[in-house]
Amino acid sequence: MKQITIILALLLGSYFSFSQEKTEFGISTEGSWFIPHKEPEYRGWETKNGFGTGIGVYASRNLFWKVSANIGVSYRYKQMQQHYVVYPETSNGYYPYGYGDYYPYVYDNSPYGYGTDKIEGWDKLPMHYFVVPVHLKMLLTKNYFIKGGIETTWLTNYEVVNEKPEFNWSIGLGSQKYKLKWSLNYISGFKEQGFGDKTMEADGHYKGSINKNNMLQLQLSYPIGRLKF
C-alpha cells in the first residue's frame, strides 16, 4: 500500500509539474464523527465514539474529461474514549489469573467479577495526525461530483504506534455549485491501528487502544487562487 501511494503521488506530481493546465490552490477544513471499529478479539475493551476536526491546504488540477486530481497536506485531530478496569492485589498476595508479582492485571469487562475493589473508568484518547490525502474527483453534473482516494497519515502523539504510516481509503459525494465546495465522505482504515503510552497511570493501567479507523466526514474547501505552470 505504501508503494502504491508513493507511485500515485509521483505520477500526479509529475503531471502537475509538466501539464499546462491551471492548478487550483485552496484551503480546506473538516469535521467528523469518529466510530472506532474493533475486531472480535479486541471487543472486550469497550469504546465510545468520538469526533474529529482538521485544517489543511490542497492543489487541484483537471486530468482529462471530467476527472481531476487533488493532493493535500493537513492536520487532523480525533478523540475517542476507552473503558478500562484494574484489579488490584488480592488479600492473599496474588493477582487475578496469577499475572506477575509486581503490577496489577488489567482486564476490561471481566466476566469473573474478582472482588469489589476494582478500579475502572474511561480514558480520553486524543489523536494528532499529519495527513497527506490523494483523491480523484469526477463531475456527475455541472455542480455535483463524486470522489475517492487514499490518505497516508502519521499519528504523532503516542510513544507506541503500530502502523507508521497508517493508510485510509475514502469515498464521497459533494457539490461545487458555489465557490465554497462541500463533500460528505466515508473514511476507513485498511488495517487496525494500535497505539499507547509506555508510562503507567497512577492506578496501574496504560492508556492506549487497538481499533480500525471509521469516520463520517464533512469537508469544506475554498479556492484562493490559480496558477499555470
Side-chain angles (χ1 to χ4, degrees), residues 2 25 40 58 74 99 114 127 180 190 193 212 217:
K2 184 186 296 186
F25 294 91
Y58 72 89
S74 62
Y99 278 78
Y114 284 97
M127 288 160 276
L180 179 65
F190 283 96
Q193 174 67 285
K212 187 164 73 172
Q217 177 201 69

Side-chain angles (χ1 to χ4, degrees), residues 9 25-27 33 36 78 85 92 95 107 110 115 126 145 149 174 191-192 195 197 199 203 207 212:
F25 294 91
I27 57 175
W33 183 241
K78 298 193 303 185
V85 177
N92 61 5
Y95 294 90
Y107 189 83
S110 172
F145 60 85
K191 294 182 179 180
E192 285 191 321
F195 61 90
D197 289 329
T199 304
D203 59 6
K207 284 187 175 181
K212 187 164 73 172

Side-chain angles (χ1 to χ4, degrees), residues 27-223:
I27 57 175
S28 64
T29 185
E30 65 180 73
S32 59
W33 183 241
F34 176 39
I35 312 166
H37 172 76
K38 289 182 173 290
E39 297 299 330
E41 58 265 36
Y42 301 120
R43 285 181 184 167
W45 282 264
E46 185 181 354
T47 61
K48 287 183 179 178
N49 298 338
F51 67 92
T53 186
I55 190 168
V57 295
Y58 72 89
S60 175
R61 175 173 282 180
N62 187 68
L63 295 180
F64 59 90
W65 190 47
K66 298 181 180 180
V67 178
S68 60
N70 294 66
I71 299 176
V73 176
S74 62
Y75 162 77
R76 177 178 294 160
Y77 173 84
K78 298 193 303 185
Q79 181 177 289
M80 59 174 284
Q81 294 187 59
Q82 179 157 295
H83 188 246
Y84 69 89
V85 177
V86 179
Y87 292 93
E89 185 180 0
T90 61
S91 58
N92 61 5
Y94 293 96
Y95 294 90
Y97 299 104
Y99 278 78
D101 298 322
Y102 302 102
Y103 300 107
Y105 177 63
V106 182
Y107 189 83
D108 187 49
N109 296 336
S110 172
Y112 301 102
Y114 284 97
T116 58
D117 56 348
K118 66 181 180 181
I119 302 169
E120 62 181 312
W122 289 89
D123 282 328
K124 286 186 178 180
L125 300 176
M127 288 160 276
H128 300 273
Y129 281 94
F130 176 71
V131 184
V132 178
V134 178
H135 292 120
L136 295 177
K137 182 177 75 174
M138 186 178 76
L139 288 174
L140 298 176
T141 67
K142 181 180 178 180
N143 296 324
Y144 294 94
F145 60 85
I146 58 172
K147 72 174 188 175
I150 295 175
E151 294 182 342
T152 307
T153 72
W154 289 263
L155 180 59
T156 63
N157 63 310
Y158 286 94
E159 298 171 289
V160 178
V161 178
N162 288 347
E163 298 296 324
K164 298 184 290 187
E166 179 181 354
F167 295 98
N168 303 316
W169 60 268
S170 68
I171 188 168
L173 175 68
S175 170
Q176 59 178 31
K177 185 176 181 180
Y178 304 103
K179 200 169 183 180
L180 179 65
K181 306 179 184 73
W182 63 264
S183 64
L184 184 62
N185 311 301
Y186 174 71
I187 301 173
S188 181
F190 283 96
K191 294 182 179 180
E192 285 191 321
Q193 174 67 285
F195 61 90
D197 289 329
K198 294 181 179 179
T199 304
M200 181 185 287
E201 298 295 305
D203 59 6
H205 81 283
Y206 295 88
K207 284 187 175 181
S209 182
I210 300 175
N211 62 74
K212 187 164 73 172
N213 183 37
N214 279 289
M215 298 169 58
L216 290 176
Q217 177 201 69
L218 175 63
Q219 184 179 57
L220 304 176
S221 60
Y222 190 85

